[in-house]
Amino acid sequence: MIANTAFGILVLAELALVFASAVIVFGSRQDRRWLDSSRRAVQAAWFLVTLALGIFLYLLLENRVEFAAVYRVTRATLPFTAKLSALWGGQTGSLLFWTWLLGGAACVSATVGWKDLPQHKPWIVLFSAVPFAGFLFLVLFLENPFARWWLLPNGASTAQFLPPPGSSIILWPPDGVGLNPLLRHPAMVIHPPMLYLGFVIFVLPYALAMAALITGDWPRSLFEAIRISSLIAWFFLTLGLLLGSRWAYDVLGWGGYWGWDPVEIAGLLPWLSGSAALHLLIPRRRSASRQTWILAVILLTFSLVLLGSLLTRSGIVVSVHAFSESTLGTALMIIFLSISLASLALWGLRGRFPLDEPPDSESRLWTTLLHSSAVLFIFLVCVCLVGLFVPIVGEWFGGKPMMVGEAYYRQATGPLWIALLILTAIAPLWPMRLSTWQQMFRKMIPAVLGGGIAAGLSAWFFSLRLPEAALPFLAGFYLVLTLQVGVGAVGTGLGRGAGIRQCVDFLLSRRAAAAILHAGVFIFAFGVLGIEQYQHTTQGLLAPGGRMAAGEYSVRLNEIVQQPTSDERIVTVASLSLFSENPAGTTLLDEVFPRMDHDLTYQQTTAIPGVYSRLSGDLYILLTGVNLGETPSASIRVILNPLADFLWIGGLIMAAGALLLLTPHVFLSSSSSMSAPVSKVNTWAANGAGPTGGPPG
Amino acid sequence: MIVTAGMLLILLLLVALYVFQPFYWEKGDGGRHHIDTGPQLTGVDRESELEEAIARKRDELAGRED
């Protein structure tokens, strides 16, 4: 009964979405009652999918393994958190969860008033409801979460929703398969929801962009709505990617955080194009070409979200993150192609912003730098797309399977990342009204000195080689320039009678939020530099009591213990003491316990590292093999990851910067109705700090 | 089977009531989406009453301006 009810609920939801879409397309858009009715239908559809998701979650927690989707991902002995992760641990549950989140975004678009965009409102609702309806269709007809196991007359079994002909016996297996051991990490409870949220929220800027193209009306408030919704999506996507990296670092046991895996790249693509869009959205003045390209990049971003879904769920690519078995390939391809091609066609036909607004106080130099950042992000998208599609297309045309490895991505993306870091370093020049390159270079002199000192110190103390010393140079440059602009503006304000409140307002402005976000980028870059360029690996075979050196450290194997667990794993743990070796002597730092988990159901062994973490770097210790015979021994790999924590700290600071950009205070300071105090102090930043500025009014 | 069908019918009814609310209860959402068609003159069936009502409304509006 519960399966039929839940399926019926999903059918009702799909009908509600079809009704909502039909009313907007064919109904009277002038009659607000019809529009209200369609909005309510989208809200009702999301409520119904929420009910169905709740029922599926109940089935998972109750271990109702007669349902195929439950059977494949859960097991009676799994702890609660793992059962929760099982919701998105399999293709079916994950698709239902994804659809629910997408429906949530559509529901938001149907609920928000869009007071400034009355003409656009029906189209915003429509273009957020259509992808929701498309994915719900897949849930209903291709990956039904409520399909059960049936016994066929010939003794075989099949999983489907309706009883197969000649059969009415439901199979009830004794227990489920259980969750893939790789997915039992705490980060998996939060990483997929964050990542999915980031992806699905991009449906809002997409719907806004489509509404602009259809109505031909491109008001300022529409671009502000696109900026805010893109920033929210970017925030969640950043957190999702960061948590995914942390999961890979903790679970996959290769000492890295990013493997340029096809699915990782598919997740990165919308982040890159979203970053490009956010940079294009910064200038306040609307120009014909920029507004046109903003819409193009927004449409591209949502197409990349759909492409990511296609690559992950169709089985086209082989990855540790992908769902290998799938019936969704063709349907997802149809959704991806129809939405992408329709967007492209509409943009090609109607993507012309009618006029350039008159120039304002923003310098042309500044907008050029922003455009350059956006172009670099789009180049990165292109490089990643080439890397993704060359093997797929090569195989389609009958060639041998091709591999595009990390070396390609490092070499192709490296110069682009460096160029982006250079642009990030000069970003604090934003408030200064610099109109010529000469003015800009003159203003940079203290920052160049600061960067030089930072590079020199890092070369002296940490023996940083020349190409890598560019990073501390850029970071020092950025820090000095930020302080020069920020402190200079506040100092000028205080000197001219500003109150503390006004200065605090300035420090909490959009500019300060962007400065924090970009500081996070540099901190993150230090983490990347440490792991990519200075990682050091030592491997050795140790008997209990044996010791081996690893750089300035050494490890001693104390004992090896192997025992079965209640959730059907055999866990082998090595107890290791970790010492610091320095001229003054040997110091015991800590004990670490790397282990190998062998899952009996999956017949899969996972190496979980023991990590000794400090700000200067991680000692990442893996148990890679074990011999428990008469003379026991363990194969130990010690990986030194300098500055690894900078990755997580930098990523969190980037997300915090994005969150700060979303605070109401920052909205206020960036909107057309800028509050007087903030506006005044911003003028100081422009006038007081800039060489062309006159006395503040 | 009957119970399932019954539950789904009730759900369908509730959804339909919610979706079509703007058609049977104009201020159903707290008046946020009420269509403002300007000053209303209701219950008027004679010409003189209509003129009186218009005059009243005019005075009222003039008073508001003051």
Side-chain angles (χ1 to χ4, degrees):
Chain A
M1 188 182 88
I2 196 164
N4 295 340
T5 310
F7 185 75
I9 287 171
L10 288 177
V11 172
L12 279 183
E14 184 74 12
L15 289 176
L17 288 173
V18 170
F19 167 79
S21 308
V23 163
I24 294 170
V25 175
F26 303 110
S28 168
R29 283 185 292 280
Q30 307 308 320
D31 188 339
R32 293 187 64 172
R33 287 176 305 175
W34 279 110
L35 175 59
D36 270 358
S37 187
S38 66
R39 284 175 46 245
R40 284 162 172 269
V42 175
Q43 292 166 341
W46 187 62
F47 171 74
L48 292 169
V49 176
T50 307
L51 270 183
L53 184 84
I55 292 172
F56 185 69
L57 199 57
Y58 165 78
L59 297 176
L60 270 176
L61 296 176
E62 288 292 306
N63 209 43
R64 294 282 295 270
V65 290
E66 81 268 30
F67 292 94
V70 175
Y71 168 81
R72 290 188 187 114
V73 292
T74 193
R75 198 163 177 78
T77 50
L78 279 184
F80 174 77
T81 50
K83 283 192 173 180
L84 205 60
S85 303
L87 176 60
W88 41 81
Q91 171 81 285
T92 313
S94 152
L95 187 69
L96 178 63
F97 182 62
W98 166 276
T99 307
W100 177 71
L101 287 177
L102 190 61
C107 187
V108 167
S109 88
T111 307
V112 169
W114 305 116
K115 279 180 191 165
D116 298 335
L117 304 165
Q119 200 188 345
H120 303 77
K121 197 169 171 176
W123 301 110
I124 298 170
V125 176
L126 176 73
F127 286 106
S128 52
V130 165
F132 179 25
F135 277 92
L136 189 54
F137 182 87
L138 301 187
V139 170
L140 275 172
F141 299 109
L142 295 175
E143 282 291 343
N144 191 332
F146 304 105
R148 284 163 291 192
W149 290 114
W150 298 88
L151 185 65
L152 297 173
N154 63 4
S157 62
T158 182
Q160 56 192 68
F161 177 69
L162 295 172
S167 170
S168 60
I169 303 169
I170 296 175
L171 275 177
W172 197 310
D175 205 351
V177 175
L179 188 63
N180 186 322
L182 289 175
L183 304 180
R184 292 181 201 164
H185 185 268
M188 286 311 287
V189 179
I190 190 76
H191 155 60
M194 289 288 140
L195 200 65
Y196 287 8
L197 262 178
F199 287 143
V200 301
I201 293 173
F202 273 120
V203 78
L204 295 177
Y206 162 77
L208 285 157
M210 290 296 275
L213 289 171
I214 285 201
T215 56
D217 182 20
W218 304 26
R220 190 179 289 281
S221 53
L222 179 114
F223 286 95
E224 189 56 17
I226 288 179
R227 191 184 76 81
I228 292 165
S229 51
S230 301
L231 199 55
I232 294 171
W234 191 92
F235 165 74
F236 283 112
L237 201 49
T238 304
L239 276 185
L241 289 170
L242 193 69
L243 284 165
S245 297
R246 182 73 211 197
W247 167 77
Y249 189 72
D250 283 354
V251 173
L252 296 185
W254 94 102
Y257 60 97
W258 187 263
W260 291 107
D261 173 285
V263 172
E264 288 174 357
I265 296 165
L268 182 68
L269 286 171
W271 187 90
L272 290 171
S273 62
S275 304
L278 285 169
H279 282 86
L280 286 175
L281 282 158
I282 292 172
R284 288 186 51 75
R285 175 178 163 265
R286 290 178 298 167
S287 75
S289 59
R290 184 165 54 243
Q291 306 316 107
T292 305
W293 284 109
I294 286 173
L295 294 199
V297 176
I298 289 293
L299 299 180
L300 171 73
T301 305
F302 191 62
S303 293
L304 292 172
V305 167
L306 297 175
L307 177 70
S309 190
L310 169 69
L311 292 176
T312 315
R313 296 178 183 281
S314 65
I316 292 177
V317 294
V318 179
S319 157
V320 68
H321 310 278
F323 299 105
S324 54
E325 292 172 15
S326 175
T327 52
L328 297 174
T330 311
L332 280 170
M333 182 70 90
I334 291 170
I335 291 181
F336 165 67
L337 285 179
S338 53
I339 289 183
S340 304
L341 293 178
S343 312
L344 184 66
L346 195 62
W347 181 79
L349 289 171
R350 301 178 64 98
R352 300 282 177 276
F353 186 62
L355 69 151
D356 285 330
E357 285 182 349
D360 62 3
S361 60
E362 283 168 347
S363 83
R364 189 167 291 175
L365 191 63
W366 166 244
T367 49
T368 307
L369 292 177
L370 283 171
H371 291 177
S372 308
S373 306
V375 169
L376 286 170
F377 277 116
I378 296 299
F379 275 167
L380 279 167
V381 169
C382 296
V383 166
C384 291
L385 281 175
V386 169
L388 267 182
F389 278 97
V390 162
I392 297 171
V393 174
E395 215 170 321
W396 278 350
F397 285 99
K400 289 179 187 171
M402 293 170 66
M403 284 291 291
V404 175
E406 281 190 53
Y408 161 78
Y409 290 104
R410 283 179 190 216
Q411 286 173 16
T413 62
L416 296 170
W417 292 121
I418 291 167
L420 272 171
L421 274 179
I422 293 170
L423 291 181
T424 309
I426 53 178
L429 288 172
W430 171 11
M432 301 183 190
R433 290 174 188 161
L434 307 173
S435 50
T436 64
W437 290 100
Q438 285 84 352
Q439 286 176 347
M440 198 171 91
F441 288 134
R442 214 175 303 143
K443 212 68 202 168
M444 283 180 187
I445 291 170
V448 170
L449 287 174
I453 292 168
L457 286 175
S458 59
W460 180 265
F461 285 109
F462 305 109
S463 313
L464 225 59
R465 295 185 291 266
L466 189 60
E468 285 84 31
L471 181 60
F473 172 81
L474 287 174
F477 181 98
Y478 173 79
L479 185 67
V480 171
L481 205 55
T482 306
L483 291 175
Q484 189 184 339
V485 174
V487 176
V490 172
T492 309
L494 285 173
R496 289 172 186 175
I500 295 293
R501 171 73 201 279
Q502 287 166 319
C503 293
V504 170
D505 278 345
F506 169 70
L507 289 174
L508 289 176
S509 68
R510 187 171 157 183
R511 188 172 310 134
I516 289 169
L517 195 156
H518 286 153
V521 171
F522 277 106
I523 295 170
F524 185 86
F526 273 108
V528 174
L529 179 73
I531 290 188
E532 298 290 335
Q533 298 296 331
Y534 293 93
Q535 190 180 65
H536 181 264
T537 304
T538 312
Q539 177 95 30
L541 191 68
L542 291 180
R547 198 159 168 160
M548 74 182 212
E552 298 165 2
Y553 304 91
S554 67
V555 290
R556 187 184 67 202
L557 178 66
N558 299 325
E559 61 173 338
I560 314 163
V561 179
Q562 189 172 65
Q563 58 188 26
T565 63
S566 58
D567 55 351
E568 294 165 52
R569 287 177 298 147
I570 294 177
V571 177
T572 311
V573 185
S575 163
L576 292 156
S577 296
L578 189 64
F579 301 92
S580 166
E581 303 285 350
N582 49 52
T586 302
T587 316
L588 176 67
L589 293 174
D590 204 354
E591 296 224 339
V592 288
F593 303 93
R595 64 175 210 264
M596 286 197 303
D597 284 9
H598 181 73
D599 190 278
L600 294 170
T601 316
Y602 274 81
Q603 287 299 314
Q604 186 176 319
T605 304
T606 315
I608 310 290
V611 182
Y612 175 71
S613 187
R614 286 191 305 184
L615 196 61
S616 58
D618 284 359
L619 270 174
Y620 185 96
I621 302 168
L622 284 163
L623 179 64
T624 55
V626 67
N627 174 15
L628 292 169
E630 283 184 14
T631 51
S633 63
S635 174
I636 304 289
R637 184 180 300 158
V638 182
I639 304 173
L640 268 76
N641 277 335
L643 306 179
D645 279 351
F646 280 52
L647 284 173
W648 325 122
I649 295 169
L652 286 175
I653 290 175
M654 282 162 70
L659 203 59
L660 198 55
L661 275 167
L662 285 165
T663 55
H665 185 96
V666 175
F667 284 172
L668 196 66
S669 72
S670 62
S671 70
S672 52
S673 58
M674 190 185 283
S675 67
V678 177
S679 171
K680 194 172 179 182
V681 188
N682 279 346
T683 311
W684 297 330
N687 290 343
T692 57
Chain B
M1 199 66 190
I2 292 171
V3 178
T4 304
M7 280 169 66
L8 287 174
L9 267 176
I10 291 170
L11 208 53
L12 176 65
L13 186 68
L14 288 173
V15 168
L17 277 173
Y18 180 69
V19 169
F20 292 106
Q21 191 174 321
F23 290 96
Y24 65 85
W25 187 10
E26 208 164 316
K27 290 188 178 179
D29 51 7
R32 279 184 296 125
H33 299 284
H34 172 65
I35 303 161
D36 188 1
T37 52
Q40 298 291 306
L41 298 173
T42 52
V44 178
D45 55 2
R46 284 199 311 240
E47 205 172 325
S48 58
E49 282 186 28
L50 180 65
E51 279 170 8
E52 274 176 31
I54 291 170
R56 256 202 322 275
K57 198 76 192 172
R58 194 176 293 140
D59 291 345
E60 189 187 319
L61 290 172
R64 206 181 289 165
E65 274 175 19
D66 293 342

